[in-house]
Amino acid sequence: MEGVNSLSSISDLDDLARLLDRPRLNIERKRSFDERSFSEMGIFDNVNSPGGWETPVSSARNSFEPHPMVAEAWDALRRSLVYFRGQPVGTIAAYDHASEEVLNYDQVFVRDFVPSALAFLMNGEPDIVKNFLLKTIQIQGREKRIDRFKLGEGAMPASFKVIHDPIKKTDTIIADFGESAIGRVAPVDSGFWWIILLRAYTKSTGDTSLAETPECQKGMRLILSLCLSEGFDTFPTLLCADGCSMVDRRMGVYGYPIEIQALFFMALRSAMSMLKHDAEGKEFMERIVKRLHALSFHMRSYFWLDFQQLNDIYRYKTEEYSHTAVNKFNVIPDSIPEWVFDFMPLRGGYFIGNVSPARMDFRWFALGNCVAILASLATPEQSAAIMDLIEERWEELVGEMPVKICHPAIESHEWRIVTGCDPKNTLWSYHNGGSWPVLLWLLTAACIKTGRPQIARRAIDLAEARLLKDGWPEYYDGKSGRFIGKQARKFQTWSIAGYLVAKMLLEDPSHLGMISLEEEKQTKPVIKRSYSWT
């Protein structure tokens, strides 16, 4: 093994299989995990029953001489730890002492902590993740008011801050449910990430006792009650405001953004595996099964775009009525932006950003498409097509620094209208086509699940060329991601953790079990034969 500095130097899948052929812990088969890509990659041979892999503590990290960046990343990640009464409960958003404005980067964000949590789980350090899950579920139970208006009981905080009083020797937690956020928008994704992380903890440790506690069971039910509530909406997707997710500023994602729908789907499936089979749990399971069936059909049918579908939309007729309508959302073909026709290759496809009445947002959003693969919201064929698109449009979607949060950027008059002239979301910057290193872990996970680890290695090589040297920036600017973001914080924790998770996933693909779900056909409701059928 001398001379092997990192997995990025491995040339092909056969080498990867050979390097991973080493003594490891016994892996017990569980249900929700995708075995297809691993069987294709030839990494695992002992597949005895349908289901998924448990994820043991990786021994692989001791089997290779790590890239010099790895040790630096772990040191930086540990410096970001936040303690409450002597116990680590999370990591701050950024450890940038050079920045004059701290803003809210000294807080623990729920979505930001997820890659940190996965890194600690993969490294055999689950206690901090357990502390975080318990602390945030306690915060959820607080009354939440913004300008005299009470939020839903299941809403999770966007972030929290620990205040240390050295005189009284007390620690106090102050939570933000959106009342301090840009635009005063409550996060929709926090609750979903919390459920997904609870499942990751359970899969990684094999410890079901945390998920089975009354506190966690109640927390899941409150989140589910909030997002499964019935109303006037005719779609199974979740109606959301701008700024409710990772794109936390006005960027024209109001409506039914792909990121939220994919996380919604993944959280529902994760909750299914953890809810108790008591009266309350079974009621929620029935509601989840019905919603999953409708949601998967809706997303796979109306959000999916490939060359054939684009051609069909281009030829849509409008003003159609009745159940026979093909153009169900009355999308005007003239509203299709010109860039889509050049961007769409003959081979490949993706879930578009948004679908609502008379509107289709054709932008590519990385997080939503990667989560769709991991949650098996995308069919195996769609997952492969998404990977094909990334390969075909590498310069546009990855460029010189992984990974574009969205493509293309909004500019000129449209930028003024959509973003409200937001000076941070200017052309190819921040959420408007910026490149975010944190997305590297999601891309890597999606690549491994689809049997394309070579794509992940190529992306990691790009990151290793610059990330440490540049001081772990929050994001990069420019059409190809060449420049450090104009307002990017240095030592951004999720940039650090995202790199570590990507490296550990590629080093030991069995870790994928904690964040991947295989397609479960049994979740589809039974369709009873109609008397009218012959």
Side-chain angles (χ1 to χ4, degrees), residues 222-373:
L222 286 175
I223 295 169
L224 294 171
S225 295
L226 198 60
C227 62
L228 291 174
S229 58
E230 297 172 345
F232 290 97
D233 215 327
T234 59
F235 310 139
T237 41
L238 208 58
L239 183 62
C240 303
D242 250 333
C244 66
S245 59
M246 179 182 175
V247 182
D248 61 0
R249 300 166 82 93
R250 182 174 160 189
M251 268 291 292
V253 299
Y254 58 87
Y256 307 90
I258 178 60
E259 177 179 334
I260 290 298
Q261 313 316 318
L263 287 171
F264 181 31
F265 185 88
M266 193 171 193
L268 290 178
R269 294 202 56 204
S270 297
M272 276 281 289
S273 65
M274 296 184 291
L275 284 169
K276 284 187 176 181
H277 290 258
D278 52 18
E280 285 184 294
K282 286 182 179 179
E283 180 189 348
F284 275 104
M285 286 181 188
E286 290 176 2
R287 295 171 66 185
I288 288 172
V289 168
K290 292 178 182 177
R291 190 63 169 264
L292 284 174
H293 181 56
L295 185 59
S296 61
F297 173 81
H298 184 91
M299 297 298 295
R300 293 169 181 176
S301 301
Y302 304 124
F303 273 69
W304 181 252
L305 189 72
D306 54 23
F307 184 83
Q308 182 59 52
Q309 182 66 9
L310 178 59
N311 207 152
D312 291 343
I313 296 170
Y314 177 67
R315 291 168 52 83
Y316 267 169
K317 295 178 181 178
T318 58
E319 305 301 322
E320 292 183 303
Y321 297 90
S322 179
H323 297 288
T324 59
V326 175
N327 186 1
K328 295 187 177 182
F329 300 98
N330 198 37
V331 174
I332 312 300
D334 287 347
S335 69
I336 303 174
E338 286 294 327
W339 65 264
V340 180
F341 297 102
D342 294 327
F343 178 75
M344 180 58 69
L346 290 174
R347 185 176 67 97
Y350 64 104
F351 289 101
I352 63 174
N354 222 314
V355 176
S356 57
R359 176 182 180 235
M360 297 182 81
D361 182 349
F362 290 91
R363 284 178 295 174
W364 149 274
F365 287 87
L367 193 152
N369 276 273
C370 288
V371 171
I373 292 174

Side-chain angles (χ1 to χ4, degrees), residues 8 37 61 93 114 121 131 142 183 193 225 287 292 312 327 330 370 385 396 441 472 495-496:
S8 61
S37 59
R61 63 180 179 275
V114 171
L121 287 174
N131 294 339
R142 298 179 182 178
W193 278 124
S225 295
R287 295 171 66 185
L292 284 174
D312 291 343
N327 186 1
N330 198 37
C370 288
E396 293 93 331
W441 81 264
W472 308 100
S495 296
I496 297 164

